[in-house]
Amino acid sequence: MASPALISDTDQWKALQAHAGAIHKTHLRDLMADADRCKAMTAEFEGVFLDYSRQQATTETVDKLFKLAEAAKLKEKIGKMFNGEKINTTENRSVLHVALRAPRDAVINSDGVNVVPEVWAVKDKIKQFSDTFRSGSWVGATGKPLTNVVSVGIGGSFLGPLFVHTALQTDPEAVASAKGRQLRFLANVDPVDVARSIKDLDPATTLVVVVSKTFTTAETMLNARTIKEWIVSALGPQAVSKHMIAVSTNLKLVKEFGIDPNNAFAFWDWVGGRYSVCSAVGVLPLSLQYGFPVVQKFLEGALSIDNHFRTSSFEKNIPVLLGLLSVWNVSFLGYPARAILPYSQALEKLAPHIQQLSMESNGKGVSIDGVRLPYEAGEIDFGEPGTNGQHSFYQLIHQGRVIPCDFIGVIKSQQPVYLKGETVSNHDELMSNFFAQPDALAYGKTPEQLRSEKVSENLIPHKTFQGNRPSLSFLLSSLSAYEIGQILSIYEHRIAVQGFIWGINSFDQWGVELGKSLASQVRKQLNASRMERKPIEGFNPSSASLLARYLAVDPSTPYDTTVLPKV
């Protein structure tokens, strides 16, 4: 039987490979001189403006990428996702994070059942609970209203909600809604993270949200038990039902933990963890902090891009264009990384969220049919807000390796500042760099330019910038909850497009399982060595040596009593 076809076997892929040779010989200085090309390489939707003219591409490149999309049946694959077909074939699941922000009257089926009413039932429950909580009607064990929330979860149960929370912290509407409240996230099983998450908090005024689909995630549940002990030691065992709630589907384990199952909020198998911020995973803690109406605006922003992605022609479809250009950069131009550079401190947690979203989704080496890929897929994502990043890793981007960049700018600052007598406002100073950096990367600086500036000959090699480094620029009208939802949805769909083209499954994550199973073996050994003084067995010489060195030092916590953080 013949092996399943790979996209790299198509004429469209081979045409792009041949075309890449010509592009490598063309400098962005020359491409940027074509005004018609620059105008053509833009797209706009609802206040989101995309300029991708600084990509190492021509309109011919983009046309060839559209033909590749046709060969990969991209439109058909997008339709299958929105229709609830089980495109996550290795786990036999639908991929329906779009249903989490669908309107109440939408029909999106999974296994023949419209899931939208279920989604809205959970959202209605969240709204009711958050209204009760924020009004002060929900009180803790001592009768005090609860004003602090600690959300305990890891991976997708943490990074997405943290990104949105951080972005909302300086939005004026969200600030007003959150007055007098704190929201913190506990993810790392490192006790230092526990200490930081509860520092200066009073258990009597704190609500804990435990986020775990199965209620078995090792790190999350140990953290949950630790925070539970913090509450019980201060308020007594009866306090758990008033100070702890859950986001989970395993009501049996929720109840056994001591949480009232009525205070558990559901989500579904067709929501991948890294795509779950629009479920109760994110909506619940964010609603407790900011109120459901603010969070609903975030969901509506995401929905707007869902509709744009599903219905717009590829020529003006922002996620499709972005996904195709990423495939071009990775698989044809050979650039393995991407820098995400928001010129807004409010978006400081965007890059960490996209790291997981992208690298867990597309970090695959085989096709969806299990065939080893003969081409590179996936990107190494990293980033930092401007201008901080400029004083960190931009040196590498300008004069070292070629790393395509996403620049994200906002026209209207969340927190405008101007000092009388200054040349520009603080935001204009920030945006001066947003506009300058893409051109600096594209054009560079030649030895001839340096000589005309009378630069010493011995310094010319050090001050030469080759340029021809691709980037693209987003310009957003503002950064309210709505735009934050748009940004999230754009990146989610961009990553899906890449996976659809490469022919991989962007919606499973088997790569995280091996380390977990090995950690389980180590955990058993640590317990046996600590409690029963058993020797180290069953490990390779290197691991055995490291374990022996670790165990040779008495633990900082005795194993016969409970010890909680002292911060």
Side-chain angles (χ1 to χ4, degrees), residues 372-490:
R372 175 62 54 183
L373 298 179
Y375 48 85
E376 296 294 339
E379 287 162 305
I380 303 164
D381 284 281
F382 70 98
E384 188 75 20
T387 56
N388 292 5
Q390 292 175 201
H391 295 269
S392 175
F393 51 78
Y394 276 39
Q395 170 64 44
L396 175 74
I397 294 174
H398 278 290
Q399 290 185 301
R401 295 177 179 272
V402 178
I403 299 173
C405 298
D406 292 359
F407 289 95
I408 305 170
V410 182
I411 294 173
K412 189 175 180 181
S413 174
Q414 285 182 336
Q415 297 289 327
V417 171
Y418 176 67
L419 304 182
K420 186 178 179 181
E422 291 286 345
T423 306
V424 293
S425 70
N426 294 41
H427 188 64
D428 281 351
E429 178 66 29
L430 174 73
M431 292 300 287
S432 296
N433 289 274
F434 166 82
F435 291 113
Q437 288 291 337
D439 278 345
L441 289 167
Y443 288 88
K445 200 162 192 178
T446 66
E448 292 72 27
Q449 288 173 307
L450 293 166
R451 290 188 180 99
S452 71
E453 296 172 3
K454 309 300 184 191
V455 172
S456 302
E457 198 65 31
N458 66 307
L459 289 178
I460 285 177
H462 302 282
K463 292 193 171 185
T464 296
F465 292 75
Q466 292 180 338
N468 205 33
R469 287 152 195 265
S471 68
L472 53 84
S473 299
F474 290 104
L475 195 56
L476 309 176
S477 56
S478 60
L479 194 59
S480 68
Y482 190 87
E483 286 81 16
I484 294 164
Q486 289 183 309
I487 292 168
L488 175 84
S489 187
I490 285 170

Side-chain angles (χ1 to χ4, degrees), residues 343-362:
Y343 276 68
S344 168
Q345 192 65 27
L347 297 177
E348 65 176 304
K349 295 300 182 182
L350 174 62
H353 176 49
I354 302 308
Q355 281 179 341
Q356 189 205 15
L357 191 62
S358 172
M359 301 204 301
E360 195 167 84
S361 293
N362 290 339

